[in-house]
Structures are given as C-alpha cells and as structure tokens.
Amino acid sequence: MYAIATGKAPTPLAVQEVIDCAYPNWGCSGGDTCVALDWMTKAVYPLRDESDFCTIITNKTRGIKVFVKGLPEDRLLELLQSGPVVAAVDAKTWQNYQGGIIQYHCESHINHAVQIVGYDLTGPVPYYIVRNSWGTDFGHSGYLYIKVGDNLCGIAEEVSTVSVYL
C-alpha cells in the first residue's frame, strides 16, 4: 500500500516481527490478522543490531486501517481495486496444491493468513490471486488461485487492509 501511495518501494517489513511482537496476538498459534495489522499501524521497530525483548514504539500517523469481518465478496473485489488485502483463510487442504484454481473442498475454519493481491474475472472460472507465505516452491511461484464466489476457504471471513497517507 505504501508503494501504491508513493510510487516508491517500501522498506522491507519483517514478518517474524509481526508474529513475535503484535500484541495481543498469538502469531502462528492462532493469531488474528486484524489485530496484527492494527499493531502494524501503530508500531515502528528500528534496527538496533542487538538482541532484545520486543519493544513497541508508537507512531499514530502511519495509516488508516480498514478491518472487515464477514464481508460480501463483491465488497472484497472493490477493496482489491485499491491494492492488496490480508485475509485469514482455511489452508488445511493446501499442502498438496499443485496448481489450477481451487473450486471445491475448502472449508472456512480459519487457520492461516495470506495476502490477496488481485483477481481475474475474465475466464470461465473467475479467481482471486493469493500470495502465500510458504515460499516460491509452493503453487505458482508462491501464489495460488481461489475461485471467486461461495466464500471458498473462508476468503471473505476476515479481511484487513491499510490505506496509507503521507
């Protein structure tokens, strides 16, 4: 969202920092994307090149957060027109994903966070383009496709985004 707002590449963010520090969140043990994103809008975490405990430094001017629980998918498509969003999804069946568009056998028992970076409505099966965190060996170079409609994998159950302003 920063790159979209400024036209410049942002400073890389540490995913591990969010998993470890976003409080009150439980990271890989049941974290909540809305809580994590709320923490990110308030936290600045400078590099000190030394080991230490997680220390929160607040900055209230980093963005305007938008957290939505259980939105209709047409609203999700509208949000994606402004940039990527974070979604909490059910990824239990993804371990064997080889490619194609997920269209069936995906429930909505939320257990994983992903980034929805876009969509394609032009083909016979419209789909979301989802960036996963399991590395570039997963799926299509780290991405997978989920059919638009039917709230597959709980894709619209919990959506988070931040609008950046300068």
Side-chain angles (χ1 to χ4, degrees), residues 35-158:
V35 171
L37 202 53
D38 183 50
W39 175 83
M40 287 175 62
T41 64
K42 297 174 183 166
V44 174
Y45 211 77
L47 177 64
R48 295 187 309 271
D49 282 335
E50 62 185 53
S51 296
D52 201 356
F53 292 102
C54 179
T55 305
I56 304 299
I57 303 168
T58 62
N59 177 350
K60 302 218 185 275
T61 63
R62 289 185 73 179
I64 301 169
K65 57 189 179 262
V66 178
F67 306 142
V68 186
K69 297 232 182 199
L71 76 161
E73 285 191 61
D74 58 341
R75 178 71 177 115
L76 174 54
L77 292 170
E78 287 176 23
L79 284 174
L80 285 166
Q81 292 175 19
S82 298
V85 301
V86 174
V89 295
D90 184 339
K92 283 190 308 255
T93 60
W94 294 5
Q95 285 76 18
N96 299 315
Y97 177 78
Q98 297 293 310
I101 302 169
I102 295 174
Q103 301 180 54
Y104 313 100
H105 311 297
C106 198
E107 299 178 18
S108 56
H109 302 289
I110 304 305
N111 57 29
H112 185 57
V114 295
Q115 184 181 45
I116 307 172
V117 298
Y119 56 88
D120 185 342
L121 305 177
T122 61
V125 179
Y127 59 89
Y128 296 105
I129 303 166
V130 179
R131 180 177 169 255
N132 200 0
S133 60
W134 295 344
T136 56
D137 290 341
F138 171 81
H140 298 276
S141 299
Y143 293 80
L144 69 149
Y145 307 125
I146 300 175
K147 177 186 169 197
V148 171
D150 302 325
N151 191 30
L152 284 171
C153 305
I155 197 135
E157 291 296 315
E158 184 177 305

Side-chain angles (χ1 to χ4, degrees), residues 13-25:
L13 300 174
V15 173
Q16 192 64 48
E17 176 189 339
V18 177
I19 292 169
D20 291 346
C21 298
Y23 183 81
N25 205 17

